[in-house]
């Protein structure tokens, strides 16, 4: 039994079952025993690998996109370059290096990282230096012109799950069973979720995600800016249970050894888009990660780097953009201030 599981059992015994989003939030972010608070989860020695760790090309192409958006904003002399959930800092380091091709972009950027993990903050500082400001949430970042990057951030925000059974709605909670932690159902009165009569289905509620998207949209309405959101998920809202736990690159039960596995769920890009638009941003896409990277020049970058690095660069390019790899599962969504032009490559979407 992990220390967090012991604590969760005590909490449930004292307070009763907890909602799934609370369980997910504690598993990932408990100050002492949360998954992200105690380890570097990335890489082959960790539990999963993200695109910036696969190849520098990913961050470089995002850096070029950011630089062109800065230019579209009128090249402000000072702006906030914000990353949500920056991992080891690899994406930001690669983006800043690539952004040097645009004169004035890097000197104008004030880098803000939204990161709750003390372990990852130390790694980010080693990679990016002291000229970075850290925050626990986006709301703490100063306002003004901004470009916001969020790669594999929204999938880790807590969700709720509702289950429809023959016209009746129940919410999934975490309680105690004979063998320890167990998923249970509690009836929901006055449920408004869509459901098919007589059909059993699961509907996920990403309220925490939509709240962050609304904050982004409000910032883009208030000052010139753009946001780029990259994550795995579905373009249209649809029922289904997508909550998953990963440990050592393998799927495990979401209740298995809490605090020692990454918990995520597929992002509902339609819901995210609506939250951004409702708060004042113009929304573009989503398009697939493969389409985005290819449009931004991935093939040419593979060719240039491949002349020195060989097949590993080609393999990385395929992993990032291939239809059977990350290319289709991952989507890219852009949001801008309402008076800015549609950003490339979303004009072709």
């Amino acid at each position: 039994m992990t220390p967090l599981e012991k604590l969760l059992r005590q909490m449930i015994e004292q307070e009763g079952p907890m909602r799934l989003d609370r369980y997910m939030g504690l598993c990932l972010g408990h100050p002492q025993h949360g998954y992200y608070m105690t380890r570097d989860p990335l890489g082959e020695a960790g539990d999963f690998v993200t695109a910036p760790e696969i190849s520098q090309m990913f961050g470089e192409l995002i850096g070029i996109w950011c630089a062109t958006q800065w230019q579209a904003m009128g090249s402000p002399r000072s702006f906030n370059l914000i990353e949500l959930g920056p991992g080891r800092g690899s994406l930001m380091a690669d983006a800043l290096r690539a952004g040097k091709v645009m004169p004035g972009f890097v000197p104008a950027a004030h880098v803000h990282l939204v990161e709750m993990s003390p372990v990852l903050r130390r790694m980010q500082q080693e990679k990016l230096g002291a000229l970075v400001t850290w925050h626990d949430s986006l709301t703490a970042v100063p306002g003004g012109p901004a470009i916001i990057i969020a790669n594999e951030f929204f999938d880790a925000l807590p969700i709720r799950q509702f289950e429809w059974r023959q016209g009746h709605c129940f919410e999934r909670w975490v309680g105690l069973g004979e063998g320890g932690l167990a998923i249970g159902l509690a009836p929901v009165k006055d449920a408004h979720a869509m459901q098919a009569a007589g059909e059993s289905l699961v509907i996920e509620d990403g309220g925490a995600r939509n709240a962050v998207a609304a904050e982004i949209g409000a910032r883009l309405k208030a000052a010139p800016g753009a946001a780029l959101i990259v994550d795995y998920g579905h373009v249209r809202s649809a029922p289904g249970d997508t909550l998953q736990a990963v440990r050592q690159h393998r799927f495990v039960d979401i209740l298995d050894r809490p605090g020692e596995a990454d918990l995520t769920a597929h992002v509902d890009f339609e819901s995210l888009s609506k939250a951004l638009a409702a708060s004042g941003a113009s929304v573009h896409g989503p398009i697939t990660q493969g389409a985005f990277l290819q449009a931004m020049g991935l093939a040419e970058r593979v060719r240039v780097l491949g002349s020195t690095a060989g097949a590993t660069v080609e393999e990385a390019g395929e992993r990032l953009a291939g239809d059977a790899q990350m290319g289709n599962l991952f989507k890219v969504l852009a949001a801008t201030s309402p008076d800015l032009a549609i950003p490339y490559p979303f004009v072709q979407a």
Side-chain angles (χ1 to χ4, degrees), residues 52-53 59 83 86-95 97 124 127-128:
E53 304 302 325
E83 186 175 1
R88 292 173 173 169
S90 300
L91 190 158
M92 182 60 73
D94 294 335
R97 185 179 63 255
Q124 293 156 14
K127 186 158 290 188
L128 297 167

Side-chain angles (χ1 to χ4, degrees), residues 148-219:
I148 303 171
I149 307 166
N151 177 61
E152 291 200 55
F153 171 78
F154 283 93
D155 62 279
L157 296 183
I159 64 165
R160 299 169 68 182
Q161 285 187 331
F162 298 88
E163 186 170 338
W164 284 91
R165 293 187 176 184
Q166 298 182 347
H168 298 282
C169 185
F170 303 86
E171 183 167 6
R172 290 180 172 178
W173 293 63
V174 177
L176 295 177
E178 294 183 1
L181 297 177
I183 298 293
L185 298 175
V188 177
K189 295 181 180 180
D190 302 323
H192 298 291
M194 294 179 62
Q195 55 100 15
E199 184 180 353
S200 178
L201 50 82
V202 174
I203 295 174
E204 295 180 337
D205 180 348
R209 297 170 176 171
N210 293 341
V212 176
E215 168 70 12
I216 293 173
R219 285 172 175 265

Side-chain angles (χ1 to χ4, degrees), residues 25-314:
L26 288 169
C27 285
L28 297 178
H30 184 274
Q32 289 180 293
H33 308 302
Y35 176 77
Y36 282 110
M37 310 302 282
T38 58
R39 73 200 67 216
D40 170 17
L42 299 165
E44 298 301 332
D47 297 310
F48 58 91
V49 178
T50 59
E53 304 302 325
I54 292 173
S55 172
Q56 68 187 63
M57 297 184 292
F58 183 79
E60 289 172 345
L61 295 176
I62 287 181
I64 296 299
W65 188 89
C66 291
T68 59
Q69 289 312 298
W70 171 74
Q71 190 176 49
M73 292 160 53
S75 304
R77 293 184 178 180
S78 177
F79 77 102
N80 293 326
L81 181 57
I82 306 166
E83 186 175 1
L84 310 181
R88 292 173 173 169
S90 300
L91 190 158
M92 182 60 73
D94 294 335
L96 289 172
R97 185 179 63 255
K100 291 178 180 179
V101 301
M102 181 73 72
F105 171 72
V106 173
H110 297 273
V111 179
H112 297 267
L113 303 181
V114 176
E115 178 60 71
M116 66 179 180
S117 167
V119 177
L120 292 176
R121 281 192 181 193
R122 288 193 293 269
M123 300 183 75
Q124 293 156 14
Q125 185 168 20
E126 290 175 2
K127 186 158 290 188
L128 297 167
L131 299 179
V132 173
T133 304
W134 283 269
H135 308 272
D136 291 327
S137 67
L138 178 59
T139 55
V141 180
I147 296 176
I148 303 171
I149 307 166
N151 177 61
E152 291 200 55
F153 171 78
F154 283 93
D155 62 279
L157 296 183
I159 64 165
R160 299 169 68 182
Q161 285 187 331
F162 298 88
E163 186 170 338
W164 284 91
R165 293 187 176 184
Q166 298 182 347
H168 298 282
C169 185
F170 303 86
E171 183 167 6
R172 290 180 172 178
W173 293 63
V174 177
L176 295 177
E178 294 183 1
L181 297 177
I183 298 293
L185 298 175
V188 177
K189 295 181 180 180
D190 302 323
H192 298 291
M194 294 179 62
Q195 55 100 15
E199 184 180 353
S200 178
L201 50 82
V202 174
I203 295 174
E204 295 180 337
D205 180 348
R209 297 170 176 171
N210 293 341
V212 176
E215 168 70 12
I216 293 173
R219 285 172 175 265
L220 298 180
K221 181 181 179 181
L228 194 71
I229 298 169
V230 186
D231 226 313
Y232 58 88
H234 39 277
V235 173
R236 302 298 178 196
S237 299
D241 179 0
T242 71
L243 182 60
Q244 61 190 27
V246 173
R247 183 169 61 247
Q248 297 178 347
H249 303 273
R250 296 181 179 180
F251 292 109
V252 296
D253 190 277
I254 64 169
L255 302 178
D256 183 50
R257 301 191 63 79
E260 294 186 359
D262 183 37
L263 292 179
T264 63
H266 288 211
V267 174
D268 180 347
F269 278 92
E270 181 177 359
S271 180
L272 214 62
S273 297
K274 290 179 178 178
L276 286 162
S279 56
S282 295
V283 182
H284 314 285
I287 60 177
T288 66
Q289 178 171 296
F292 174 83
L293 293 177
Q294 294 294 0
M296 292 301 299
L298 178 64
E300 176 62 16
R301 195 68 183 129
V302 167
R303 187 188 66 79
V304 172
L305 292 178
S307 63
T308 58
T312 55
V313 175
E314 294 183 1

